[in-house]
Amino acid sequence: MSVRVKICGLREAGHLAAAAKAGAAYVGLNFFARSPRFVTLEEARALAVGAPEGLCKVALTVDADDAAMDAILAAVPVDMLQLHGHETPARVAELRARHGLPVMKVVGVSDAGDLAQIAGYEAVADQIMVDAKPPKGAVLPGGNGVAFDWGLIAGRRWTKPWMLAGGLTAGNVAEAIRLTGARQVDVSSGVETAPGVKDAGMIAAFVAAAIT
């Protein structure tokens, strides 16, 4: 079974093309205004409309209210929602029903105690992303380039598809996959030359390291 890769926080059409050429399955558009990877509705629409066929286009939001979510989905043709805030299981279920799109809920992990919450989200989300908790005082809920102890989830299995994130690079993703058994991985800062600045060569190297 091959590994599926998500390249998140893309802001240029050329980098969507690079992700597709490399063999990525998902691309993420970031609607969190404080992120260096933020895209406006107009920018996101152009990227999504022009995206290569076959890519799953994911809208990353952080505690977005109904008005913000409605505006995103009215303007941008995406295939999946990624909830990266403090959304409760009830909110996940509500958004899934309201918009009729599959939902991926991100769960931040720093120690074994953080794993218990996954069950509640597993019951309502279509996928789970197991990510590193942001460092104390961090502005961003993700994309901080930090990893958690992969041994915490070694050998664990969940009933829903799940994705590993947090501090992954071309240099460590194969080991992360080996240790955790992940069949899906997500990267953002690990394919950047500076915050928000993706690199086509780094994207290709990451995907190659993950899928081979």
Side-chain angles (χ1 to χ4, degrees):
M1 183 177 177
S2 62
V3 174
R4 292 163 62 85
V5 177
K6 177 171 170 282
I7 310 293
C8 198
L10 295 167
R11 302 174 63 231
E12 297 181 25
H15 292 146
L16 271 76
K21 182 180 179 181
Y26 306 83
V27 289
L29 303 174
N30 188 321
F31 295 95
F32 183 51
R34 287 187 285 171
S35 172
R37 304 164 187 100
F38 170 73
V39 285
T40 66
L41 294 181
E42 294 76 15
E43 291 167 339
R45 177 173 176 78
L47 291 170
V49 169
E53 288 188 19
L55 286 174
C56 178
K57 301 175 292 294
V58 183
L60 185 162
T61 64
V62 180
D63 298 317
D65 60 19
D66 285 344
M69 197 69 82
D70 288 349
I72 290 168
L73 296 181
V76 187
V78 297
D79 306 300
M80 179 179 286
L81 304 178
Q82 177 179 330
L83 306 181
H84 216 308
H86 297 92
E87 299 90 357
T88 63
R91 178 62 172 160
V92 173
E94 178 186 354
L95 286 169
R96 188 173 182 273
R98 180 182 179 92
H99 298 293
L101 288 173
V103 174
M104 179 186 299
K105 178 66 182 88
V106 182
V107 177
V109 172
S110 63
D111 57 47
D114 294 320
L115 298 174
Q117 62 186 312
I118 291 176
Y121 290 113
E122 200 178 9
V124 292
D126 297 276
Q127 297 202 38
I128 300 294
M129 179 182 289
V130 184
D131 196 2
K133 261 190 180 177
K136 191 172 183 179
V139 171
L140 304 179
N144 293 294
V146 297
F148 64 95
D149 177 6
W150 299 321
L152 292 172
I153 60 171
R156 287 182 178 260
R157 296 292 179 267
W158 291 287
T159 60
K160 296 289 179 67
W162 66 280
M163 187 175 289
L164 178 67
L168 297 176
T169 67
N172 68 14
V173 66
E175 178 70 0
I177 291 167
R178 186 187 70 80
L179 284 173
T180 65
R183 308 314 303 170
Q184 301 192 110
V185 292
D186 172 88
V187 67
S188 186
S189 63
V191 292
E192 293 178 345
T193 56
V197 183
K198 294 292 190 287
D199 180 86
M202 293 175 74
I203 290 171
F206 182 88
V207 177
I211 66 178
T212 54

